[in-house]
């Protein structure tokens, strides 16, 4: 059929008349919903202030703090926070979140505690709790967290809430503290709303969600986020410090010429000895685009930006408001490609652990094509390098020695007599022999003092009993974004997350654990099937049907000029792609030229772990070197004097162990790769002859007889 025949189709007039009458009826229906002031009133929606007031009234009904053991894990939710306890190494705190079923959104303010020893959940109720929210952030300080001082506590700021149909959004600006320490008469986990004292410099941070916080010394550092008013979204890059000693907020006033990160939300923010490090994030920027049909028609649109830059925040404890500054770092090596959003790294001993994420490509003005990920990475903060983390099946028992120990390890889900386990056991046996020698003969790598007794090597943490019967797999969970991550006792916990397929959102109701030392499988703590009844919005379906009919009519009326407009659009897209490719090439050439002018990086002279060398064995070998490094750094005026000067021998050895532990984890994936190469080539364990001679190999009993396994 020719084009003219299409335009004279007799059914077209009937379709147009029917569509016109349906639009008029819909318009009358919407007009009847308008109130006296002309604003639309949706009977299915409610006033957001009324909802929050009702939540506050119900919260006031609780008269005391209660802990209730749950028969099953908490209900499913997205955008909640999972935070390690700063006081108990076997507890994780889950707070808040939201759930969307396609039509209505529900928000939560319940607090749960997960105990990893018993695989048990508790719910905490309190008369004074934050109102329901998602998109908030919680950080830990004090206790055994190693950050700041004082009692172990969690700090919460901000978040968002919306009406059930998400027609109105509300952002919080409240600040809360949760005491996690056990006092006299047991533990009392209760929220306390922080009211900053007078004299704060810069007021208080404005409301937001999507921000991040870390604790450093006595400060809680807050950066970024966004504010959504339903009409516009404003992204932020302001920097605030909360002084926990004076209970005041400090707005960091950077000079106009000072460099700083761009506005963003949902980035990774990790603690650092100088303050904090930042990586990635997401934002949208406004840009003017030209329509394909006319070069003179411009429209303002927002373009998504996936940030891949990294920054170091140096905080000055003396005058944080004026002397704190940002430093741009080089682009991390081996970063995940393509870049992704919807993933926030969790900190683990000088590293950031990442799982999942999503990469969106805009197909047109109304659609996104999303690619979801299920891979896991470790980002070495100091080395500024990403390493993939891959699950590996435990190797079977090796012939000869170690079979008995292998059987015991197999009971605990370990490697069953593998070289790494035997090296760890031999190292621990060696350290026990060293401790006996030190006790009998005063042997120590540090010079003895008359008034201070030398402290033996740091005691090994008691091994955590593992929950028996947990399913183990060697495949990472289903691809997702916005999964809640937390690390406690060298174990990564993955909770929830979201996946999209078409217009449907899937909220995962599951939790997993990964041993970051062995990477010997994924343990399923619980996994329940998605039972959320997805509801399709009737108005959206009607609108989509009308849009489809409009598009059909436009196609019939405009086919004569369609080919010409497609040609122009293709030409514009081609020129735009060429410009982007040229710009990217120029940036790569500029980066290469900058690296060439900087010359080769300075050689790293700090001790490096050997293959199959346990953390304790590494510290026993390099303890003296780390102590010398700490003392040398303390003598440097640019380094905090408290880092080494004035420390007792015990404190110095403790600091040396912390430094060696951070180093051991920072290069863990490089050493693991070397171990795999040696095992595959049949080299096995490496014995250092030099160390054997130094430790008295051949004649000494206990210490030198076995040698050191690497």
């Amino acid at each position: 059929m020719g084009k003219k025949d299409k335009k004279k189709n007799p059914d077209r007039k009937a379709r147009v008349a029917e569509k016109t009458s349906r639009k008029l009826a819909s318009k009358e229906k919407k007009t009847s919903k308008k109130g006296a002031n002309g604003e639309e009133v949706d009977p299915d929606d409610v006033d957001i202030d009324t909802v929050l007031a009702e939540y506050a009234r119900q919260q006031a009904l609780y008269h005391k703090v209660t802990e209730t053991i749950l028969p099953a894990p908490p209900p499913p939710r997205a955008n909640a926070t999972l935070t390690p306890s700063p006081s108990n190494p076997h507890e994780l705190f889950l707070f808040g979140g939201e759930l969307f079923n396609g039509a209505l959104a529900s928000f939560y303010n319940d607090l749960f505690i997960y105990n990893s020893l018993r695989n048990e959940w508790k719910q905490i109720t309190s008369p004074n709790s934050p109102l329901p929210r998602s998109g908030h952030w919680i950080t830990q300080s004090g206790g055994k967290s190693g950050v700041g001082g004082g009692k172990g506590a969690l700090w919460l700021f901000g978040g968002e809430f919306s009406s059930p149909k998400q027609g109105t959004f509300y952002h919080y600006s409240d600040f809360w503290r949760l005491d996690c320490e056990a006092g006299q008469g047991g533990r009392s986990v209760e929220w306390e709303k922080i009211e900053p004292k007078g004299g704060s410099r810069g007021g208080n941070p404005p409301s937001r969600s999507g921000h991040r916080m870390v604790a450093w010394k006595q400060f809680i550092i807050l950066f970024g986020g966004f504010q959504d008013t339903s009409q516009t979204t404003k992204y932020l890059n302001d920097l605030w410090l909360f002084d926990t000693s004076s209970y005041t907020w400090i707005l960091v006033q950077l000079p106009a010429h000072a460099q700083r990160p761009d506005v963003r939300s949902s980035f990774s923010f990790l603690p650092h000895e100088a303050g904090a490090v930042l990586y990635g994030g997401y934002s949208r920027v406004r840009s003017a685009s030209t329509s394909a049909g006319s070069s003179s028609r411009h429209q303002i649109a927002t373009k998504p930006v996936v940030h891949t830059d990294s920054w170091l925040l140096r905080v000055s404890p003396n005058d944080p408001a004026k002397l704190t500054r940002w430093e741009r770092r080089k682009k991390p090596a081996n970063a995940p490609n393509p870049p992704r959003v919807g993933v926030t790294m969790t900190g683990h001993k000088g590293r950031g652990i990442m799982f999942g994420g999503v990469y969106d490509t805009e197909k047109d003005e109304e659609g996104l094509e999303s690619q979801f990920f299920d891979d896991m990475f470790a980002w070495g903060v100091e080395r500024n390098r990403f390493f993939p983390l891959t699950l590996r099946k435990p190797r079977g028992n090796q012939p000869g020695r170690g079979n008995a120990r292998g059987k015991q390890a197999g009971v605990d889900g370990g490697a069953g007599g593998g070289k790494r386990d035997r090296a760890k056991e031999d190292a621990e046996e060696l350290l026990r022999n060293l401790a006996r020698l030190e006790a009998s003969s005063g042997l120590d790598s540090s010079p003895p003092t008359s008034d201070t007794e030398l402290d033996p090597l740091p005691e090994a943490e008691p091994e955590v009993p593992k929950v028996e019967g947990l399913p183990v797999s060697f495949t990472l969970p289903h691809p997702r974004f916005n999964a809640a991550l937390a690390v406690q006792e060298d174990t990564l916990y993955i909770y929830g997350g979201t996946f999209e397929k078409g217009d449907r959102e899937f909220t995962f109701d599951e939790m997993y654990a990964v041993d970051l030392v062995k990477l010997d499988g994924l343990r399923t703590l619980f996994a329940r099937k998605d039972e959320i009844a997805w509801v399709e919005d009737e108005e959206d379906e009607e609108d989509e049907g009308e849009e489809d009919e409009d598009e059909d009519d436009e196609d019939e009326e405009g086919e004569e000029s369609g080919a010409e407009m497609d040609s122009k659009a293709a030409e514009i897209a081609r020129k735009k792609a060429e410009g982007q490719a040229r710009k990217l090439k120029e940036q790569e050439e500029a980066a290469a030229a900058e690296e060439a002018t900087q010359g080769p990086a300075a050689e790293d002279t700090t001790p490096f772990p050997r293959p199959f060398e346990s953390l304790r064995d590494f510290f026993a070998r390099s303890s003296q070197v780390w102590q010398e490094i700490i003392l040398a750094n303390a003598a440097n005026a640019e380094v905090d004097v408290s880092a080494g000067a004035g420390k007792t021998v015990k404190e110095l050895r403790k600091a040396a162990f912390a430094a060696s532990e951070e180093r051991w984890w920072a290069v863990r994936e490089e050493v693991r790769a070397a171990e795999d190469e040696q095992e595959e080539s049949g080299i096995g364990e490496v014995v250092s002859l030099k160390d054997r001679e130094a430790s008295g190999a051949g004649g000494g009993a206990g210490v030198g007889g076995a040698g050191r396994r690497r």
Side-chain angles (χ1 to χ4, degrees):
M1 183 182 292
K3 294 178 182 177
K4 287 187 177 181
D5 294 332
K6 281 186 178 181
K7 293 176 73 174
K8 293 181 179 180
N9 190 336
D11 295 334
R12 182 176 178 274
K13 289 185 178 181
R15 291 205 320 272
V16 171
E18 182 183 354
K19 183 175 63 177
T20 303
S21 62
R22 188 166 64 248
K23 285 186 175 181
L24 289 173
S26 177
K27 184 176 181 181
E28 291 176 359
K29 183 179 178 182
K30 290 183 178 180
T31 304
S32 65
K33 295 180 182 179
K34 290 182 179 290
N37 56 357
E39 295 181 355
E40 288 189 7
V41 178
D42 189 348
D44 294 330
D45 211 347
V46 292
D47 181 64
I48 194 169
D49 294 328
T50 304
V51 175
L52 292 176
E54 177 61 20
Y55 274 117
R57 187 191 67 80
Q58 294 179 2
Q59 199 68 46
L61 298 178
Y62 296 106
H63 299 291
K64 63 178 181 179
V65 178
T66 61
E67 292 189 15
T68 305
I69 298 178
L70 300 180
R77 62 198 62 209
N79 300 321
T81 50
L82 185 68
T83 312
S85 169
S87 304
N88 189 327
H90 311 303
E91 288 185 342
L92 299 166
F93 287 81
L94 177 70
F95 176 79
E98 64 178 295
L99 184 65
F100 183 63
N101 68 351
L104 301 177
S106 302
F107 290 79
Y108 305 100
N109 71 331
D110 35 15
L111 176 66
F112 301 94
I113 299 179
Y114 173 72
N115 188 293
S116 60
L117 284 178
R118 298 187 290 270
N119 195 21
E120 175 184 88
W121 288 92
K122 288 183 179 180
Q123 183 173 7
I124 308 297
T125 59
S126 170
N128 186 32
S129 296
L131 291 175
R133 67 192 67 201
S134 69
H136 55 281
W137 196 254
I138 295 179
T139 191
Q140 58 170 330
S141 71
K144 298 180 180 179
S145 66
V147 181
K151 295 182 178 180
L154 302 183
W155 303 83
L156 179 153
F157 182 87
E160 67 182 51
F161 182 84
S162 79
S163 55
K165 297 201 73 172
Q166 297 185 322
T168 308
F169 285 87
Y170 179 84
H171 288 263
Y172 294 98
S173 61
D174 49 353
F175 192 39
W176 296 78
R177 180 182 185 274
L178 182 70
D179 188 0
C180 303
E181 292 284 353
Q184 295 181 353
R187 181 175 62 177
S188 178
V189 181
E190 185 172 5
W191 288 103
E192 172 195 1
K193 187 173 183 179
I194 303 299
E195 301 292 348
K197 297 179 181 179
S200 62
R201 290 166 279 179
N204 299 325
S207 58
R208 69 191 67 201
S209 61
H211 55 284
R212 297 294 181 261
M213 297 189 302
V214 297
W216 182 79
K217 295 187 181 295
Q218 80 269 27
F219 298 106
I220 305 297
I221 308 173
L222 183 151
F223 177 77
F226 71 93
Q227 297 171 334
D228 192 344
T229 62
S230 298
Q231 286 81 24
T232 59
T233 301
K234 178 183 178 182
Y235 288 87
L236 308 170
N237 67 341
D238 50 346
L239 179 63
W240 295 81
L241 304 176
F242 180 78
D243 192 334
T244 59
S245 60
S246 62
Y247 268 48
T248 57
W249 280 106
I250 303 170
L251 174 61
V252 178
Q253 301 281 3
L254 297 173
H257 63 277
Q259 56 182 354
R260 70 200 72 191
D262 295 329
V263 296
R264 67 191 69 197
S265 70
S266 302
F267 48 91
S268 294
F269 207 35
L270 303 175
H272 187 270
E273 62 179 4
V277 288
L278 179 151
Y279 174 78
Y282 177 84
S283 65
R284 297 187 74 91
V285 297
R286 302 182 68 182
S287 62
S289 60
T290 304
S291 62
S294 173
S295 60
S296 61
R297 293 179 59 188
H298 295 273
Q299 55 183 359
I300 302 298
T302 58
K303 182 180 65 174
V305 177
V306 179
H307 299 277
T308 58
D309 50 348
S310 176
W311 295 78
L312 171 64
L313 177 66
R314 292 192 179 275
V315 182
S316 171
N318 299 324
D319 192 353
K322 296 181 180 179
L323 299 182
T324 298
R325 66 186 187 276
W326 288 100
E327 294 179 4
R328 181 189 288 272
R329 308 180 74 198
K330 287 185 178 180
K331 188 176 181 179
N334 295 342
N337 187 28
R340 56 204 63 182
V341 297
V343 56
T344 297
M345 288 185 277
T346 181
H348 174 236
K349 297 178 179 176
R351 307 189 303 171
I353 307 298
M354 169 191 293
F355 170 75
V358 60
Y359 176 71
D360 293 326
T361 303
E362 290 195 357
K363 296 187 299 183
D364 49 43
E365 295 180 356
E366 299 178 356
L368 287 177
E369 194 172 290
S370 300
Q371 180 182 0
F372 297 88
F373 302 95
D374 62 349
D375 43 7
M376 188 164 56
F377 292 89
W379 178 43
V381 173
E382 290 299 332
R383 300 172 73 83
N384 200 19
R385 188 181 186 89
F386 279 92
F387 296 93
L389 298 180
T390 308
L391 300 180
R392 55 195 69 211
K393 293 184 179 181
R395 299 181 183 273
N397 287 344
Q398 303 293 330
R401 55 178 293 232
N403 289 338
R405 290 181 293 192
K407 293 179 182 179
Q408 180 62 34
V411 174
D412 294 333
K419 296 181 177 63
R420 293 188 181 92
D421 288 335
R422 296 207 306 273
K424 182 177 180 180
E425 292 168 358
D426 291 339
E428 291 175 351
E429 181 181 358
L430 172 62
L431 293 179
R432 287 194 293 269
N433 293 333
L434 282 173
R436 284 197 293 269
L437 283 176
E438 290 176 2
S440 60
S441 61
L443 176 65
D444 195 286
S445 59
S446 303
T449 56
S450 58
D451 56 348
T452 305
E453 183 180 355
L454 292 179
D455 188 58
L457 294 175
E459 293 282 337
E461 292 289 337
E463 186 168 345
V464 179
K466 296 183 179 179
V467 181
E468 298 181 0
L470 291 180
V472 179
S473 69
F474 298 95
T475 303
L476 288 170
H478 190 282
R480 67 194 66 196
F481 69 101
N482 283 347
L485 306 179
V487 174
Q488 188 79 301
E489 290 291 284
D490 297 335
T491 299
L492 171 68
Y493 294 90
I494 305 172
Y495 175 83
T498 306
F499 178 77
E500 297 173 353
K501 186 176 182 181
D503 293 333
R504 170 76 191 270
E505 285 186 9
F506 296 88
T507 300
F508 291 102
D509 187 17
E510 53 197 27
M511 186 171 177
Y512 302 96
V514 178
D515 186 341
L516 294 176
V517 179
K518 298 180 180 179
L519 295 177
D520 57 346
L522 179 80
R523 285 166 174 79
T524 303
L525 304 179
F526 75 89
R528 297 180 294 202
K529 186 178 179 181
D530 183 7
E531 298 180 352
I532 302 172
W534 190 257
V535 180
E536 295 289 348
D537 196 322
E538 296 180 359
E539 292 185 6
D540 288 345
E541 291 179 352
E542 293 178 1
D543 293 341
E544 289 176 2
E546 293 176 2
E547 289 174 3
D548 292 340
E549 293 181 1
D550 290 339
E551 290 175 1
D552 293 340
D553 294 337
E554 289 173 1
D555 290 341
E556 293 177 0
E557 295 174 356
E559 284 192 13
E560 292 182 354
S561 59
E564 182 181 354
M565 293 182 66
D566 289 343
S567 176
K568 291 182 178 180
E571 181 66 18
I572 293 174
R574 184 184 64 80
K575 291 183 178 180
K576 185 176 180 181
E578 290 178 354
Q580 290 177 345
R582 187 164 53 251
K583 183 178 180 181
L584 180 61
K585 184 177 180 180
E586 291 175 355
Q587 290 176 349
E588 292 176 351
E589 292 176 352
E594 181 181 356
E595 291 182 2
T597 56
Q598 290 177 349
E603 183 180 355
D604 189 357
T605 59
T606 54
F608 198 93
R610 296 167 179 167
F612 306 107
E613 186 174 42
S614 68
L615 170 60
R616 308 208 143 270
D617 205 354
F618 173 56
F619 173 67
R621 176 173 63 85
S622 60
S623 172
Q624 183 67 29
V625 179
W626 290 113
Q627 294 180 45
E628 292 174 355
I629 292 175
I630 292 172
L631 292 174
N633 289 340
N636 189 343
E638 297 181 357
V639 179
D640 186 5
V641 178
S642 62
K647 287 184 179 293
T648 64
V649 175
K650 180 177 180 179
E651 293 172 339
L652 186 60
R653 288 175 61 81
K654 185 176 180 180
F657 180 78
S660 65
E661 181 182 33
E662 183 175 342
R663 174 66 166 176
W664 192 84
W665 279 108
V667 299
R668 184 73 194 106
E669 304 316 313
E670 297 176 65
V671 176
R672 200 192 303 272
E675 292 173 352
D676 291 341
E677 290 178 2
Q678 291 189 10
E679 286 191 331
E680 299 213 353
S681 62
I683 296 178
E685 300 169 2
V686 179
V687 180
S688 171
L689 297 177
K690 181 178 179 181
D691 285 344
R692 287 186 61 183
E693 294 172 359
S695 57
V703 177
R708 298 189 179 187
R709 268 44 173 201
R710 303 303 173 201

